[in-house]
Amino acid sequence: MVLLRNIRFVSHCERHMAPVNGRALIGYLPRDRVVGISGVARVVDAFSKRLQIQEKITAQIASTLETELRPHGVAIVVEGAHGCMTSRGVHQSQATMVTSRMLGLFPEQPQLRHAFLSAINRATAASLGTFFSVAHPIR
Ligand SMILES: [Zn+2]
């Protein structure tokens, strides 16, 4: 499994046009093509530039990687701090939204999901606490 972590992006939410500071964590199972951080960063960048909603960015990145790389599977988790949530309205400065998308073998094989989630879990446990619980795999 290739794991690419903390690919940062800045987007703007479709509803409020407020900034969204996000990061993507991506895992994929290469078939024959691999791509590095810069290739994935370009994909993330392309979809986050326009006015967006986070669920859509997540789905678009996943399906683009699936089309371009033809991997055995793609797993992506996106975490975003939404300006419309953190600095106005409800003023939840620490709140983030987490969205995910799993394609190919990931939705089919729980042990792969587990491997992906525990890999990003180990790495992000310090900052996120128990947010990504492997006991409740994200689908
Ligand atoms: Zn918003």
Side-chain angles (χ1 to χ4, degrees):
M1 189 192 310
V2 178
L3 194 66
L4 304 167
R5 298 184 49 242
N6 293 336
I7 298 157
R8 301 277 171 181
F9 67 87
V10 177
S11 188
H12 287 82
C13 87
E14 218 167 64
R15 266 187 89 186
H16 311 98
M17 289 183 236
V20 177
N21 282 287
R23 59 177 184 148
L25 303 102
I26 293 165
Y28 68 96
L29 305 162
R31 192 184 300 271
D32 36 44
R33 265 180 276 179
V34 289
V35 66
I37 293 276
S38 59
V40 171
R42 274 193 289 277
V43 173
V44 172
D45 235 48
F47 288 116
S48 56
K49 277 222 167 70
R50 53 194 88 160
L51 287 177
Q52 267 286 22
I53 61 169
Q54 190 177 318
E55 293 89 331
K56 217 191 280 176
I57 298 178
T58 310
Q60 286 167 332
I61 295 168
S63 62
T64 300
L65 292 177
E66 189 179 49
T67 309
E68 296 295 317
L69 300 175
R70 299 246 149 257
H72 294 290
V74 178
I76 170 168
V77 170
V78 172
E79 183 183 29
H82 291 242
C84 52
M85 238 173 17
T86 55
S87 60
R88 58 186 201 194
V90 290
H91 289 283
Q92 286 290 338
S93 62
Q94 298 301 310
T96 58
M97 180 187 276
V98 176
T99 50
S100 70
R101 185 91 167 151
M102 309 261 165
L103 301 173
L105 293 180
F106 283 99
E108 289 165 22
Q109 298 189 10
Q111 72 273 26
L112 273 176
R113 270 203 310 278
H114 183 102
F116 171 71
L117 293 169
S118 60
I120 64 173
N121 212 11
R122 273 196 303 278
T124 56
S127 57
L128 294 173
T130 55
F131 207 101
F132 299 114
S133 171
V134 291
H136 305 281
I138 302 169
R139 281 169 185 277

